[in-house]
């Protein structure tokens, strides 16, 4: 069942245009969002959150348009950009205390479990954390209020392979509880472990949106990985 609908998103910049981007996210499925740097992934995600104001198009969550329902919708979704880059001198426990005020469904037990899983010292400040630990803290903030939709823009950047595997296990558990996840990443091997669907964008346009097996069947050649499919497709597009 689709709980996020993106229809006809357009955003024009001097050097780039997001062109009629449309797709949906289904409950209990992980959608891997792939494409080169500058292809439009982050612009799409920011448009979905009203952090960028699109020139055209509509975004709806849970059957409600984002326009006019933003406050309610944002209590039911989670967003992570990968790293924690605000209030660098505040202790993590204080950041959590402030963040939870915005979420009526904040789950103290979940926050504590994520802190333990991620081995976060809540008495430290972001300035004292490695880039990988900042990522983990940002994910704790995004996932501790029972979000029904998670929008993740490079959520595992800076993490070692073991930590990435831990997070993939968390994402799979959330998926099994019905959460819809949009997962933008350049680490396509992670998507081969967890993604149900693949959304591929190039030069601001959606090239393909399909179930992962169907994507590989239609876009790939025998034996190719997701990374190899994307590399070949980008070369072919560049060479005409």
């Amino acid at each position: 069942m689709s709980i996020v609908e993106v229809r006809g998103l357009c955003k024009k910049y001097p050097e780039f245009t997001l062109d009629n981007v449309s797709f949906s996210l289904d409950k209990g499925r992980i959608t891997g969002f792939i494409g080169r740097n500058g292809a439009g992934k982050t612009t799409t995600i920011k448009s979905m959150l009203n952090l960028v104001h699109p020139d055209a198009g509509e975004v709806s969550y849970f059957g409600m348009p984002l326009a006019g329902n933003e406050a309610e919708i944002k209590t039911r979704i989670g967003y992570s950009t990968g790293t924690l880059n605000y209030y660098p001198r505040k202790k993590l426990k204080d950041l959590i205390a402030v963040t939870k005020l915005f979420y009526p469904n904040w789950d103290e037990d979940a926050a504590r479990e994520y802190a333990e899983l991620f081995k976060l010292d809540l008495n430290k400040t972001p300035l004292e954390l490695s880039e990988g630990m900042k990522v983990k803290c940002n994910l704790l903030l995004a996932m501790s209020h029972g979000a029904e939709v998670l929008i993740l823009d490079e959520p595992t950047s800076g993490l070692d392979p073991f930590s990435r595997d831990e997070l993939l296990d968390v994402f799979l558990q959330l998926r099994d509880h019905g959460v819809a996840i949009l997962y933008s990443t350049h680490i396509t091997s992670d998507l081969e472990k967890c993604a149900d669907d693949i959304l591929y964008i190039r030069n601001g346009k959606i090239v393909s949106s399909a179930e992962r097996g169907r994507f590989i069947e239609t876009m790939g050649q025998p034996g190719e990985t997701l990374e190899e499919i994307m590399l070949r497709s980008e070369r072919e597009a560049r060479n005409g």
Side-chain angles (χ1 to χ4, degrees):
M1 182 180 73
S2 295
I3 58 175
V4 182
E5 296 279 350
V6 175
R7 291 289 174 262
L9 278 186
C10 298
K11 179 66 177 179
K12 187 173 181 60
Y13 294 101
E15 303 296 329
F16 171 79
T17 299
L18 194 69
D19 187 3
N20 197 32
V21 167
S22 298
F23 60 90
S24 61
L25 303 180
D26 292 343
K27 183 176 180 179
R29 295 184 72 82
I30 297 175
T31 299
F33 196 12
I34 63 173
R36 297 185 63 173
N37 286 334
K41 299 188 301 299
T42 295
T43 301
T44 298
I45 286 172
K46 287 186 174 181
S47 296
M48 292 173 66
L49 297 164
N50 206 28
L51 300 175
V52 162
H53 302 300
D55 300 321
E58 298 179 349
V59 181
S60 64
Y61 296 81
F62 321 112
M64 298 182 291
L66 180 61
N69 298 286
E70 186 172 348
E72 179 183 351
I73 285 170
K74 286 188 173 179
T75 66
R76 299 172 63 183
I77 68 177
Y79 168 54
S80 175
T81 57
T83 190
L84 185 70
N85 53 15
Y86 52 90
Y87 297 117
R89 292 178 173 81
K90 292 289 187 182
K91 291 183 178 181
L92 302 188
K93 64 181 181 182
D94 296 327
L95 293 178
I96 292 170
V98 171
T99 301
K100 72 180 184 182
L101 297 176
F102 294 91
Y103 296 104
N105 295 324
W106 185 267
D107 188 334
E108 290 284 2
D109 291 336
R112 186 162 43 252
E113 289 172 7
Y114 287 131
E116 292 173 359
L117 173 65
F118 299 155
K119 296 180 173 56
L120 283 167
D121 182 347
L122 301 185
N123 286 308
K124 287 189 173 182
T125 68
L127 277 178
E128 298 174 286
L129 300 181
S130 68
E131 290 305 306
M133 295 305 281
K134 290 178 185 178
V135 169
K136 291 179 177 181
C137 185
N138 208 23
L139 284 164
L140 179 152
L141 297 174
M143 299 190 301
S144 295
H145 63 278
E148 298 165 66
V149 176
L150 277 177
I151 299 174
L152 308 173
D153 193 2
E154 297 289 342
T156 58
S157 59
L159 294 185
D160 61 83
F162 183 81
S163 295
R164 292 208 322 271
D165 268 350
E166 282 185 329
L167 276 179
L168 294 182
D169 286 341
V170 172
F171 296 158
L172 289 170
Q173 291 172 29
L174 292 170
R175 178 195 68 183
D176 291 345
H177 284 87
V179 178
I181 300 176
L182 179 65
Y183 181 1
S184 168
T185 184
H186 292 294
I187 308 173
T188 52
S189 59
D190 286 354
L191 299 181
E192 288 171 338
K193 298 175 183 177
C194 72
D196 301 293
D197 305 299
I198 299 294
L199 181 64
Y200 179 18
I201 190 169
R202 181 195 302 134
N203 297 329
K205 297 181 180 181
I206 299 298
V207 176
S208 178
S209 178
E211 184 272 330
R212 186 180 66 185
R214 180 66 176 160
F215 176 88
I216 292 170
E217 179 183 331
T218 57
M219 296 288 294
Q221 295 179 358
E224 282 188 325
T225 63
L226 286 176
E227 181 176 352
E228 289 166 341
I229 292 170
M230 193 175 81
L231 287 171
R232 179 180 48 75
S233 297
E234 293 295 326
R235 291 192 191 102
E236 290 174 354
R238 182 186 62 196
N239 296 330

